[in-house]
Amino acid sequence: MKLRERILGSIGEFVIRHNKLILIAGLVLAAVSVYYASGIKSNTRINDMLSKGNPRVVAYDNLTADFGGASMIVTLEGGTKERMAAAAEDLVVKMRAKPELSRYIRSISLKLERDFVLDRGFLLQKPADIRRMRKLFEKTSILPFVTGLNENLESTYTGDEAEEDLETGRQELDAVSSMAQIANFADALRVAVEAPEALDPRAAAGGLTDAIVLGDQYSFSQDGSMLLFAVTMNFDIASNLTACDGILADMKALSASLGPAYPEVEFGYSGDIAIQADENAAMSSDMLVPSIIAYAAILVLFIFSFRQVRSIVFAMGCLVLGILYNFGVIGATFGELNLVTSMIASLLVGMGIDYGIQVTTSFNSFREEGHGLKESIRLTFRKSGYGVLLAAATTSASFFVLIACGSKAMKQLGFVAGVGILTCLAAMIFVLPALMAWLGKRTESANRIPQIDYGLLERFGAFAARRRVPVLIVSGIVAAALCVSALRLDIEYDMMELEPQKGPAMIAYRKILDKFEMNPNSAIVVTNGVEEARALTSKLEKLSSVSEVQSVSNYLPSADEQAERLAEIARIRADLPRALSMAYGPSEVDALVREVQRLEWNLIELGDISVAGLGENNKIVRKRNAMIREILGAEVGKEGEEVFQKLIAALKADPERAAARLTALDAPFSAKAVDMVARMAAADRPMTAADLPRSLTDNFLDKKTGTRNIITIYPKASATATNEGLRRYDAALREIAPSITGSTPLFLDFFDEMLGESKKAALYVGILVLLFAFLSFRSVKYTLIAAVPPVLSLVLLFGTLPLIGWKINALNLVTLPLNIGIGVAYGTYMLQRYLVEGRDLRAALKYTAKAIFLSAFTTMVGFGSLGLAGSFKMLASFGTVLFIGIGYCYLTTMLVIPALLGDRKAAAADAGETVIEERSAS
Amino acid sequence: MNAKKVIVSVLLSAALCALAAFGQGAAAPEDVLSIVRAIDAKQRSATSRQDMVMTTYPDMGDEGNKREFAIRSYSKGEDDSYMEFLEPRSIKGLRILGKGDDNWVFFPSTGRTRKIAGTSKKDSVQGVGGDFSYEDVGGGSFESKYDFRLLKSDSGSWTLEGVAKKKDAVYSKIVLTADKAKSLPTRIEFYTEEDGYFKDLVMTDFKVMGGRDAATRMTMVNLKKKSKTVVVVKAAEYDIQIDERYFNPSRFDK
């Protein structure tokens, strides 16, 4: 008897003799594991999985240390703009008043403060714009004012001396902002003209001047149907994962409390915190539900596969123990599960049961041959123990070798999965036989449950062995064809495609993409001062992929710029406009109608001009189409708000009444306008950071230094809609500043890292597997045959994915080394038995076909359950890809290996020869 | 052969070589001018009508981010040009008339015609020309704008350097490569004082259209903005009768 058989036999004896002790030890270990496992947290932060040396991770960690960074984007839809704004204001008041929320809030970017705009507004405008404003407010009566507005527009964009280009995101936003001001003004004027007699002209005049000077204080979509604001927390997601669920719950409770006052307004949530909450919910169900499904499916299969129900129950119970031990180790070491390791329970259900299957199958076959309980256990250890240990050693070593990879995600997966294999193995070779020894049936009894006949699988393999040439040819053709298909394999770089798609945060995210034509996943960078921010912002705004850059430099012009602007402001101050008063009659109303029509035409033409530089569906066109109507050359498309035609209709409906209203309104409007200009022109010194309102300082500046500041970059939705676009956007950011970080750059780095690490890991695992196989078989031929299923299955897998419309992503890349490490086991089992049975393929198939099928099936179910039940797309894709990969491993094991080995007995029988059996010394 | 005859032969040969060299040098400036005039002549036409597709790429590395315009254009002489947008639908019917330094734009969406005066030659054609400026599409011969010298001549092409004659020219220098067989430019590099090597125009896909050989694909790359514009000529006719209304500011919008 070989040495290893003796050793294994001794282990078997030990288990038989001390079965109760082993069981008690197993239970104690389980209790300890539960204790440690209860402290495990889930952390889906991508940057925590990247190598610590990654400059973007370093930049992100430094940034979040000073600025916090977890964000919540709140959206409001429904009702008028005024109602949405009022609802948002009330929500913010409630947020600040709730201590459980307000203690986490660093800043809320709801609107730009009115006082700040009125006191410093001129300093934020270019000298040419200040001159235009000065000219605009030279005549402060309504009719001349509207005429001046037209002249202003024409000189800026559409007329003889048009100065402004429309090419960059900043120019686009400025134009949209002007359009919003004009639309609000027209609307306010219409309301004033249509208003009942009781309306206070001064209040109406205030509304008019606010509309034209302040415009949209809130962030509305171009069509005015959605309001959006951001809440930034004073912590980073990973530093306080547990707070996220609570914060979101509180926000939802607050918005629900506003329901009675604003029944038409619907609140939505996106951003880091809401997405994290969606991920938490998905992961909780993705960890539990698929595991339960896998467990149940395996249990049902076992009931119909094994005569001895007890052994099934014991095996399943030991599987639970093995997984529990693994979670205990996780709790005692890392204390957290990341995106990659969160699937470990489902993986172990599928992989860990393999050893139980081998032990149980072997045990039952010896029992059926008439051996007693304890003798069957001894024989199981002696005959099958080595194969089980070898398979477990190979698989666990394949995982442990991932620790050599640079990526933290791979290291943790390698450790957790490697340990998991060993804990399941330990449970199956110690606790399971101990249970059988203590509680197993002493006598065989008939099982009335119908059993699956696995003879078909044996015949399947035998067929492949007899028809080896055609099988090998067909396999080769299929492999070649799928190899060609693999060239079309696409990659998913957009991490949002991998989030829980049906989660409320994703739904809100897609609405923001659509309505604002902006991707709310921002990139961020910190600079040490305003001038550095200015230089960087200027470069970023020129990128065609960038929608908006939020920077403190937008609110703090340079010293030179301020000097120029102060000079212009001083000219205004020296010659302030005078309050006027004009009487309106039907001819003045007519003139106003003509000017309003001219205003509409100017804005229509502005949209036409913008198409050339900014594309057909730019924000200016969308704003124009929303506030007026859709314009298609000389044709008209969808209806818009028709703000100008409504005003014209109001003026024309009753010109006498309109004239009276305008007369009453004119003087207060003029007075308000003059007051506003005087206030804005009072700025007589440069602005500093101390002049910024709290909403801006909280948002942009570091509290410690007051000079370090954060720049937030939002890409265009269209620029990041494709993989190529994402890559270009990222490359453009990297070229400007390598330290620009944020979720999109980090995810792309994560993908690159996982790609590199997966290839490395696959190589390491491949070498290890070949080494193990060679040490075991001591034959190059059988080593190579053992390698066929994992290698061929990868070719088949990558060729199949494009055919079913699946893409490779950062997570399912990990399947590369896993497929090799897990898939090699089936061939190893078969080859090992083949050699033990003296190169008798039929005998090998007889003893291994069922076990290999059950191993493969349970693993596939374990992974596949993630794909079916997993609501987290990233995890689901991982499960599905492995399901297909392991399936191919099984098929190639049952088809190609028998074809390669051939059936010597059948061949000899055909040739009329006798085969001398060579039993191996084992 | 006696010594006297040898000496005379040598002297004659030397004289012939000297004459040949002199002739070469004496002929160079004239040749360059001839080349430039030949190129100008090939491109000159009394009138023209072209249907083209212009595609602008704000970021030349991003082929997916583009604006495509289908345009019909008419030109008369060196100063009069008319462009009408056929696509996209949102600006279909938009027309631009250029007469010398003045430009008018007709907006079909409002039915108004606006005069755009005093436009800078270096600006993009009413914003819709992409990387082609008024200077690039405007008339005027190479000979009238630049002084040329020959940089290189090989079997297939000439490379000429042209320095602007006027100090306020949009481009301080151009380097023009022309195909010898066709006497047509295949590439022009544009230089400015401020930016140096500023734009690059490549002309390819030569076809006979309207009875003359011309490039049907022109790619202008703006090296500063890293943008590019591609114009593909679908159809062209030259020296044809064109209705005067196309060049009349009060009628071109009808």
Side-chain angles (χ1 to χ4, degrees), chain A residues 777-799:
Chain A
F777 301 127
R778 308 266 164 92
S779 156
V780 171
K781 173 183 162 186
Y782 293 117
T783 301
L784 291 175
I785 292 175
V788 164
V791 171
L792 193 56
S793 70
L794 282 177
V795 171
L796 298 175
L797 170 66
F798 289 134

Side-chain angles (χ1 to χ4, degrees), chain A residues 52 90 105 161 221 229 236 259 280 332 346 361 395 424 464 466 492 516 542 610 612 614 650 666-667 721 842 891:
Chain A
K52 274 301 162 196
D90 284 353
I105 295 174
E161 292 155 17
S221 58
F229 70 93
D236 171 47
N280 288 347
S346 292
T361 311
T395 304
C424 288
R466 281 199 310 278
E492 184 60 80
F516 287 84
K542 290 189 174 84
S610 73
L614 296 168
D666 198 81
R842 288 192 202 176
L891 276 175

